[in-house]
Amino acid sequence: MLSGNICYLRAVEVSDVDIVYRWENDAALWSDGSVRQPVNSVSIESLIAQAGMDVYQTRQLRLMVCSLADDAVVGCVDMFDFFPFDMHASLGVLVDTPFQRRGFATEALSLMCQYLHDTLALHQVSASMRSSNVASVSLFKKLGFDVIGVRRQWIRTSSGFEDEVLMQKIF
């Protein structure tokens, strides 16, 4: 288990189906990821089953972020687009609304980066987000990520198109 001062990261469990289902089907979060449609419970169960597989097979890893104070699931951190030969991957983090702005995302990403560097021997990680997501841009900068580019008008929103910020951290 990867543990910090306020949270720890653990594997996804079958008991997480309901919360993962809620997150994956929250239309307000769709513009922050690649899914733009509802996901059924069978797909969520399959996702959770895959979470137990070897990271070198699946090329992705989702860990649940849990509060040290009460073991509550407060979010998740994802590694995806994992390329072992090139030693890089992409990262994303989600913290449930009631738990935001308490340091969980910062610590969870820090723990994940440490794991990816120390255990999987990654050389670098990247992240991308909507330019209007100022909190995420600030969070990743705080953790040593640099802005390496902007994809202009990359993400379609209900009011038009928005830029995507590309960030990278080299260990």
Side-chain angles (χ1 to χ4, degrees):
M1 186 165 53
L2 305 167
S3 188
N5 295 317
I6 63 168
C7 70
Y8 62 92
L9 306 180
R10 65 158 173 80
V12 181
E13 300 289 345
V14 173
S15 60
D16 297 319
V17 167
D18 291 340
I19 195 162
V20 172
Y21 180 86
R22 182 169 53 82
W23 292 335
E24 295 291 342
N25 286 292
D26 184 345
L29 299 174
W30 290 349
S31 65
D32 290 324
S34 59
V35 175
R36 298 279 197 276
Q37 65 191 31
V39 179
N40 64 33
S41 60
V42 173
S43 296
I44 299 300
E45 290 168 5
S46 175
L47 174 76
I48 289 174
Q50 275 190 336
M53 295 174 63
D54 181 20
V55 68
Y56 291 96
Q57 274 185 293
T58 62
R59 304 290 173 107
Q60 61 186 1
L61 174 66
R62 172 172 282 181
L63 296 175
M64 303 305 281
V65 181
C66 300
S67 169
L68 274 173
D70 60 6
D71 293 322
V73 174
V74 301
C76 64
V77 61
D78 291 310
M79 179 205 66
F80 54 96
D81 294 340
F82 173 40
F83 291 89
F85 181 81
D86 296 316
M87 300 172 10
H88 64 74
S90 296
L91 290 177
V93 65
L94 177 140
V95 173
D96 218 348
T97 305
F99 303 101
Q100 291 178 357
R101 305 201 191 300
R102 295 190 195 177
F104 289 114
T106 302
E107 190 163 271
L109 279 171
S110 181
L111 289 168
M112 182 65 115
C113 284
Q114 182 180 352
Y115 169 77
L116 296 176
H117 177 259
D118 295 350
T119 304
L120 297 184
L122 294 191
H123 174 64
Q124 60 184 288
V125 288
S126 65
S128 62
M129 65 233 44
R130 292 176 294 120
S131 59
S132 65
N133 193 342
V134 177
S136 285
V137 173
S138 175
L139 166 65
F140 281 90
K141 282 183 178 179
K142 178 177 167 182
L143 292 171
F145 284 71
D146 296 314
V147 174
I148 59 166
V150 175
R151 288 181 173 148
R152 301 285 179 212
Q153 299 181 22
W154 192 255
I155 300 167
R156 191 171 85 183
T157 69
S158 59
S159 59
F161 287 87
E162 188 172 342
D163 295 348
E164 179 181 50
V165 178
L166 307 172
M167 302 185 81
Q168 176 185 39
K169 177 177 183 167
I170 298 176
F171 297 115

